[in-house]
Amino acid sequence: MAALQSVVVETTPFDDQKPGTSGLRKKVKVFMEKNYTENFIQCILDALGDKVKGATLVVGGDGRYFSKPAINTIIRIASANEVSKLIIGHLGIYSTPAVSAIIRQQKVLGGIVLTASHNPGGIRHDFGIKYNIENGGPAPDYITDRIYDLTRKIKQYKITPALETDRIIDVLGTSKFNVEGRDFTVEIIDSTKNYVNLMKEIFDFNKLRALIRGTESTPPFNILLDSMNGVTGVYVRAIFVDELGASPDNNVCRIVPLDNFGEIHPDPNLTYAKDLVDKLQADNNYDFGAAFDGDGDRNMILGKNAFFVTPSDSLAVLANNLECIPYFKKHGIHGFARSMPTAAAVDRVAAKLGKEIFEVPTGWKYFGNLMDAGRLSLCGEESFGTGSDHIREKDGIWAVLAWLSVIEHKRMSVEEILKEHWKIYGRNYFTRYDYEECETQPANEMMKQLEGLIASGTLVGKSYSAGNKTYKVEKADNFSYVDPIDNSVAKNQGIRILFEDGSRLIYRLSGTGSSGATVRVYIECYEKENVLSDAQVMLKPLVDIGLQISQLKKFTGREEPTVIT
Ligand code: VG1
Ligand code: CO
């Protein structure tokens, strides 16, 4: 085999390659600019230092538009930078949780995940690149900071132009190359096998199959899973159809991954997964519905007639019932955690069960250290993320299997489970208002104004009234987090206004958008007895107060949010 030569290409930095909440996300057209993708890949590898030499990395993503050229670039740049092997999902497909699982199982240095998650895909929409470390989780801040630093200085990248990548990801198997006298291997592997095996170890598939198929004494539990044309389609087929006997015609929909997600917004919430909501409302034969996002780490859980389970409640219910899942019987249940804006329902479960509870900033990377230290078993985010320490990413398929396990164990409907839970613990009413693609400057000014209010100290002790409710401010701050394991500090993670009765108002700017600014307002109140009201009605006074304090309408010019969850 004649050795392939690598070359050094001169380049200039881009000033906008700062990874956000979960990797670098931009319009496809931006990633297509000359050297844009090359620069970022080179900086990821440079940030890893000498460890990259001789290392194995995993590559895969949600299959969105531009994945193939990006993978080809990664192959050529990795080979020139002395990476010894790439493990790539067949057709470039790999859900985010499955990447996390394979990194851990193969004990490799890390992985490059090609996704913009719930952001729309296709030539006019978004692409994304993120780096996951050897524990399978998203790179912590000190690594993404290092990457960003390098992107602002990069002068050249190394590449092997003659390495033939055409159709390489279409065929399972191993290709070996000689790059400047070194061996370089590309292995294309089945994207589902390892993940399916992991799920089989965690859950009791016999019980779940009996639930879905029914038995002589129990009717089938009728589910409808919506992959929203994202990457979970291949996992839904492998697990729910092939293993658990769900019907490919009646129990699953949109399970063929499309590179533009069929021009929908692959985000599982009541707005963007309205199709599923409508189907469950129209057909009350369905007992359960779930939807996933583009890269498979998010989930939305619905009961009969589209009874909606907030992600914060979903986390609390799972925390309260984990012992029915074989994995937790075996490994024990350590602490719980939630992101700061997530409603505090799980805190009440933790208190009752005598478990540690952690409140971390938004973004799954903040859970990793706690899990690695054996202090965290289950965690979640209000943004439809739920997961456990089986991997280091949130996991949509896992969440659905966990919910079905609870249902199988309790023999109750989703709605009954929630009502029972609220009866025991009371209810944390929660809603999030998103104002997408606002102008950046006024959105920043709104946050500055809130910062100013907090700094002035005038908020604390003040009472606000709306509707028939009055709330008194107990504390107001900009959330800071000190990681209990490595003592790293994350500052400015969101404005919090905390009221005396435990109600909260939180303001953040999104770190995953690709244009303009998305303002998120999180609103939560707690009721011990009054647990069966409509959340939007219940929270209306607090919403009004939240809009008043922030002067959101004045700053953004928006009368209504784009999305309410
Ligand atoms: C959003 C969510 C956050 C989540 C992140 C990545 O971030 O709020 O909870 O971890 O998306 O999710 P932001 O900064 O836009 O609020 V995923 O499924 O897009 O990787
Ligand atoms: Co996602």
Side-chain angles (χ1 to χ4, degrees), residues 13 112 164 173 250 258 260 364 370 484 516 524:
I112 299 175
E164 186 51 71
N250 301 320
L258 302 176
N260 65 354
W364 211 260
L370 292 164
E524 174 185 0

Side-chain angles (χ1 to χ4, degrees), residues 21-22 25 117-118 293 297-298 362-363 381 383 394 432 508 510-512 520:
T21 311
S22 188
R25 295 183 190 181
S117 187
H118 56 286
D293 71 337
D297 52 1
R298 295 185 178 205
T362 295
E381 294 191 278
S383 54
K394 53 190 187 271
R432 182 176 106 184
R508 275 183 70 247
S510 158
T512 58
R520 303 200 196 285

